[in-house]
Amino acid sequence: MTDRKLKPQEKPHYVNNKEFSLAVVDYCESAEKARKQKSKKLAISILATQCSTNSILGAPAFVAFSVGGGLGWLKYELAVPLSMIAIMIFIYPIFYKLKVISIYEYLEKRFDLKTRLLMSSLFLFVRVFATGVIVYSVSIVIELITGLSFVYSVLILGLITIIYDVLGGIKAIIYSDIIQMIILTVVLIFILFYLASIFGGFQSMFNYFPDQRNVNLNFFEHGLGDGKEFAFWPMLIGGFFLYMSYYGCDQSQMQKALCAKNQNEGQKVFFLNGIFRFPLVLLYCLIGVGIGSYSEINADFISSLPKQDGIPNFNLAVPIFLIDNLPIGIVGLTLVALFSAAMSSLDSVLNSLSAVTMEDFVKRIKERFGFTPDVWHSKISASMKTKTLKNIINGTSKIIVGARSALFLPYKKLGMIILDEEHDTSYKQEEKGIYHARDMSVVKASIENIPLILTSACLLYTSPSPRDQRGSGMPSWA
């Protein structure tokens, strides 16, 4: 809704060196402050983002209980150094020289705006749901260990991460990731050696590991009709493209590498990741070997796992083992490690989501119209609602982007109503005041004598046409 004529299309704005800042949560952080990080710090921070709670829970469970899989997961990891080399040579130099905040800005320069916005939207959509899975998994574990309700677990994890994410920006995220990575690594090493001590050593631990899960590396497995589900070459090739896309084309990973003080330091970030990642993955895969061997000597272990639809939830094997075997204090320390893993992934995702949202959408709207539109819907905070109402009453609000209830705000003078996706059934309210926002828009536009624009991907057969409106006294609209 607007009372202001739209400006002609402006050319896209690209930030220069002075404007460049990767502290996207705090746009006031300068380029000099953001781009002074050394490669080792950034490499550890990126590695911490990779090692999420899902990895710590899922990878050991896969190794321990997947028949025909087991240590075959490590075949994927052999592709990491190859993908890092490709990113260092072909992808990273392009992003670094362009001084981009959102890496999807490159797509607009290479193709067009639609491609950029499409990929940015896809990133936001996928990352939001992936983050939900991370938060869900660690909250389930916290509930299992402490008895704290799922809702409180989510709130505690989310609020702590958001606070230091917002206050400290990208620098706080990098340093917190390093601390969290140290805690996590120490705890994982302790768990591995504790498992080995149960069997009297690593060799004995491997002896108890079932043969059908102890998969050896075989370079001759091609996966083309040889009956091998986890063949070497398909996993190597697939892993190469998987990690190329994740490290090189994902905002949450690339934004940290772009904090390097120069291009050489940035390329070292990926080189170090190619070295450090395999030992880390090997660490929690060996924990999986220990858990698998433990389940062989303890017949009641699998039956003690929480069940989902009558099937044991193997992803909870590690926390159940810790609860059953470690003292309470040590279990608390492992809980800290799980928190660290979740927070190191969550903080980077939140920062990258804010970067893409601000740079690809909000900032573009502000540059296009010269201001930031006000927002109105039921989920915004009371303070934001108050701010929007004040702007409307004072006449300083130019555009309102909102839900159907935005029709009833106290506008002084409307200039236009735009109803997007007019066919959507959510415009109809059937409780606490029954009305259809589309019909109300038609009436309000008629009363205010202003244009009404209805847009839709598919034409609604009940939509009135200009011909239907002749002589009705209603304003003309399209």
Side-chain angles (χ1 to χ4, degrees):
M1 299 176 186
T2 178
D3 59 358
R4 181 179 183 272
K5 291 185 178 180
L6 303 182
K7 290 181 179 181
Q9 178 66 39
E10 299 171 359
K11 292 182 178 179
H13 171 73
Y14 301 108
V15 293
N16 55 37
N17 291 349
K18 294 181 179 179
E19 294 171 319
F20 176 71
S21 170
L22 280 167
V24 292
V25 173
D26 181 5
Y27 263 78
C28 296
E29 190 169 9
S30 64
E32 291 75 19
K33 191 175 180 180
R35 303 185 71 198
K36 287 186 176 180
Q37 304 302 321
K38 294 183 179 180
S39 56
K40 291 181 181 179
K41 295 178 182 178
L42 295 173
I44 295 174
S45 179
I46 292 177
L47 196 63
T49 303
Q50 297 283 325
C51 191
S52 66
T53 310
N54 293 345
S55 299
I56 298 173
L57 300 179
F62 176 79
V63 172
F65 304 108
S66 177
V67 177
L71 292 173
W73 175 260
L74 292 174
K75 299 173 187 177
Y76 253 140
E77 300 305 315
L78 294 177
V80 173
L82 300 177
S83 62
M84 295 301 102
I85 293 172
I87 292 171
M88 289 165 56
I89 297 174
F90 300 109
I91 298 179
Y92 181 76
I94 296 175
F95 289 144
Y96 196 87
K97 290 175 183 177
L98 289 176
K99 313 297 181 186
V100 294
I101 294 176
S102 166
I103 63 173
Y104 307 106
E105 183 178 330
Y106 166 75
L107 296 175
E108 183 178 359
K109 292 186 175 186
R110 178 63 179 84
F111 300 102
D112 54 26
L113 176 61
K114 292 180 180 179
T115 305
R116 174 183 181 178
L117 296 182
L118 174 63
M119 295 308 298
S120 297
S121 301
L122 183 61
F123 166 77
L124 292 173
F125 179 81
V126 172
R127 276 283 157 254
V128 164
F129 279 92
T131 304
V133 174
I134 293 173
V135 174
Y136 175 80
S137 61
V138 73
S139 298
I140 290 294
V141 175
I142 294 170
E143 183 179 21
L144 182 67
I145 295 176
T146 66
L148 190 66
S149 72
F150 175 79
V151 174
Y152 285 115
S153 301
V154 172
L155 290 176
I156 292 173
L157 177 65
L159 286 175
I160 294 174
T161 307
I162 289 172
I163 288 172
Y164 77 76
D165 205 343
V166 172
L167 294 179
I170 193 73
K171 191 173 182 179
I173 292 171
I174 292 170
Y175 282 95
S176 64
D177 283 349
I178 293 172
I179 296 172
Q180 291 159 359
M181 191 66 204
I182 293 172
I183 295 173
L184 180 62
T185 305
V186 170
V187 170
L188 289 176
I189 292 174
F190 169 80
I191 293 173
L192 176 61
F193 276 89
Y194 182 83
L195 281 164
S197 68
I198 294 177
F199 300 93
F202 287 98
Q203 183 61 49
S204 178
M205 184 177 74
F206 269 93
N207 290 337
Y208 279 98
F209 193 58
D211 293 336
Q212 66 269 27
R213 301 173 196 168
N214 192 0
V215 179
N216 297 319
L217 192 64
N218 188 341
F219 293 96
F220 300 101
E221 294 175 353
H222 50 78
L224 300 175
D226 58 0
K228 301 295 182 180
E229 185 177 357
F230 301 103
F232 172 75
W233 288 106
M235 293 189 74
L236 181 69
I237 297 171
F240 173 78
F241 288 104
L242 171 69
Y243 292 121
M244 271 274 287
S245 64
Y246 189 41
Y247 280 95
C249 305
D250 190 288
Q251 178 74 23
S252 62
Q253 306 304 313
M254 183 57 71
Q255 69 175 9
K256 292 181 180 179
L258 293 174
C259 286
K261 61 182 180 181
N262 55 53
Q263 184 175 316
N264 288 336
E265 283 292 307
Q267 289 172 313
K268 287 180 184 178
V269 171
F270 296 102
F271 175 78
L272 292 173
N273 261 275
I275 296 175
F276 292 156
R277 181 179 168 90
F278 188 85
L280 178 64
V281 175
L282 180 62
L283 178 59
Y284 48 71
C285 282
L286 289 176
I287 291 175
V289 172
I291 294 294
S293 299
Y294 179 79
S295 67
E296 291 296 310
I297 64 173
N298 190 336
D300 297 329
F301 178 69
I302 294 180
S303 61
S304 68
L305 298 178
K307 293 179 174 54
Q308 188 173 5
D309 297 329
I311 301 174
N313 188 346
F314 294 112
N315 290 320
L316 295 177
V318 172
I320 291 296
F321 168 80
L322 299 176
I323 294 172
D324 291 344
N325 293 274
L326 297 181
I328 295 177
I330 303 298
V331 172
L333 185 60
T334 61
L335 179 61
V336 172
L338 290 173
F339 253 100
S340 299
M343 292 169 69
S344 62
S345 299
L346 186 58
D347 58 12
S348 299
V349 171
L350 289 175
N351 192 266
S352 61
L353 290 173
S354 65
V356 172
T357 302
M358 293 297 296
E359 190 66 18
D360 292 347
F361 296 96
V362 176
K363 188 177 179 181
R364 178 170 295 277
I365 293 173
K366 188 173 183 179
E367 290 174 353
R368 176 68 179 84
F369 296 108
F371 57 87
T372 303
D374 289 310
V375 179
W376 184 269
H377 55 82
S378 61
K379 299 300 182 182
I380 62 174
S381 64
S383 59
M384 185 174 290
K385 287 183 179 180
T386 302
K387 179 183 176 182
T388 299
L389 284 172
K390 284 182 178 179
N391 290 340
I392 293 173
I393 294 171
N394 296 332
T396 57
S397 183
K398 301 297 183 181
I399 292 182
I400 308 293
V401 179
R404 62 194 179 207
S405 58
L407 282 169
F408 305 104
L409 295 175
Y411 305 106
K412 284 189 174 181
K413 185 180 179 181
L414 274 178
M416 179 186 297
I417 299 175
I418 302 174
L419 197 70
D420 190 27
E421 300 296 334
E422 60 147 337
H423 63 278
D424 199 306
T425 56
S426 64
Y427 284 123
K428 185 178 181 180
Q429 178 167 304
E430 297 182 306
E431 56 182 13
K432 296 181 180 180
I434 300 174
Y435 70 93
H436 199 300
R438 181 181 166 280
D439 297 337
M440 292 299 297
S441 299
V442 174
V443 174
K444 194 170 185 67
S446 177
I447 295 173
E448 298 283 346
N449 195 27
I450 58 174
L452 169 64
I453 298 177
L454 304 180
T455 68
S456 177
C458 53
L459 184 63
L460 192 64
Y461 77 94
T462 57
S463 299
S465 65
R467 181 179 179 181
D468 295 329
Q469 298 174 48
R470 292 175 185 174
S472 64
M474 294 177 63
S476 102
W477 48 267

